[in-house]
Amino acid sequence: MIPEIEKSLNDQIQHEAKASAQYLSMACWADVNGYNGIAEFFYTQSEEERVHMTKLVKFINERGGKAVIPAIEKPKDDFHSLMELFETFLSSEEFVTQQINNVIFQCLEHKDYNVHNFMQWYVAEQLEEEASARTLLDKLKIIGDDKSGHYMFDRDINKMLPAEENN
Ligand code: FEO
């Protein structure tokens, strides 16, 4: 494995691990603040990020590299509003997308079409996840400060996304 690419893939492990920890922390915040539907949503998102991380770990090790499991800093765990919670979700996804784009650019520079091909799965995932985050944030903007709107958002969050997002 090209050392520069191995390093970038290991960095990506860290980004996915960080996202997983962040969403777990967001699930906890939602849980203790009475938003059970939102909590379930973020528990699931956290699991998905862990899958993204593990897929990278296995890929690096199978291709002759060495995956390094990183230390993770404590995630943000206090939010002033649902809006802030979902803004954090969107900005986290946008950051991860940017990092994936960087890896892909690097693959093209090194003509590493094998890793480039592997990374296409992440490109597709990011498209879906960013779209979900934007959809949910748009709905919250419409709801504003309306408490009954927040109640319904929490009740319906796991039904609001396209079918492939509901698993
Ligand atoms: Fe795997 Fe949504 O970043």
Side-chain angles (χ1 to χ4, degrees):
M1 184 170 265
I2 297 166
E4 290 91 336
I5 296 207
E6 183 178 346
K7 158 90 174 64
S8 294
L9 292 179
N10 267 306
D11 288 345
Q12 194 61 37
I13 287 176
Q14 176 143 31
H15 303 320
E16 304 290 350
K18 192 174 164 196
S20 180
Q22 183 60 70
Y23 299 160
L24 192 56
S25 171
M26 286 155 73
C28 292
W29 182 88
D31 229 352
V32 299
N33 283 283
Y35 297 114
N36 297 341
I38 295 170
E40 277 312 310
F41 174 79
F42 280 114
Y43 282 130
T44 302
Q45 292 299 315
S46 175
E47 290 293 331
E48 285 189 11
E49 299 303 346
R50 192 174 189 288
V51 169
H52 298 177
M53 178 190 72
T54 309
K55 202 172 160 76
L56 280 157
V57 168
K58 289 182 176 173
F59 180 79
I60 295 170
N61 289 336
E62 281 166 8
R63 303 300 164 113
K66 184 180 187 305
V68 179
I69 308 307
I72 304 296
E73 64 195 52
K74 181 176 175 294
K76 180 175 166 65
D77 62 0
D78 192 23
F79 302 89
H80 295 106
S81 62
L82 290 184
M83 191 73 89
E84 188 185 357
L85 190 75
F86 281 86
E87 279 168 351
T88 303
F89 180 36
L90 179 58
S91 62
S92 167
E93 289 302 325
E94 286 174 337
F95 173 76
V96 171
T97 299
Q98 187 57 51
Q99 301 312 308
I100 286 168
N101 288 343
N102 291 345
V103 175
I104 287 178
F105 181 71
Q106 195 183 29
C107 288
L108 292 174
E109 277 186 323
H110 287 88
K111 297 189 168 45
D112 189 337
Y113 301 116
N114 199 343
V115 176
H116 182 274
N117 188 43
F118 169 74
M119 291 305 291
Q120 296 309 307
W121 183 84
Y122 287 84
V123 172
E125 280 289 297
Q126 283 313 115
L127 270 176
E128 270 184 24
E129 291 184 347
E130 268 197 48
S132 301
R134 285 210 179 83
T135 300
L136 294 170
L137 201 50
D138 285 346
K139 287 190 193 299
L140 276 176
K141 283 179 187 159
I142 293 167
I143 292 166
D145 291 332
D146 178 30
K147 288 232 183 311
S148 60
H150 288 171
Y151 173 82
M152 283 188 278
F153 180 90
D154 179 61
R155 188 192 62 188
D156 296 340
I157 183 169
N158 289 298
K159 291 184 239 154
M160 281 194 284
L161 297 170
E164 64 269 23
E165 294 284 310
N166 283 328
N167 50 35

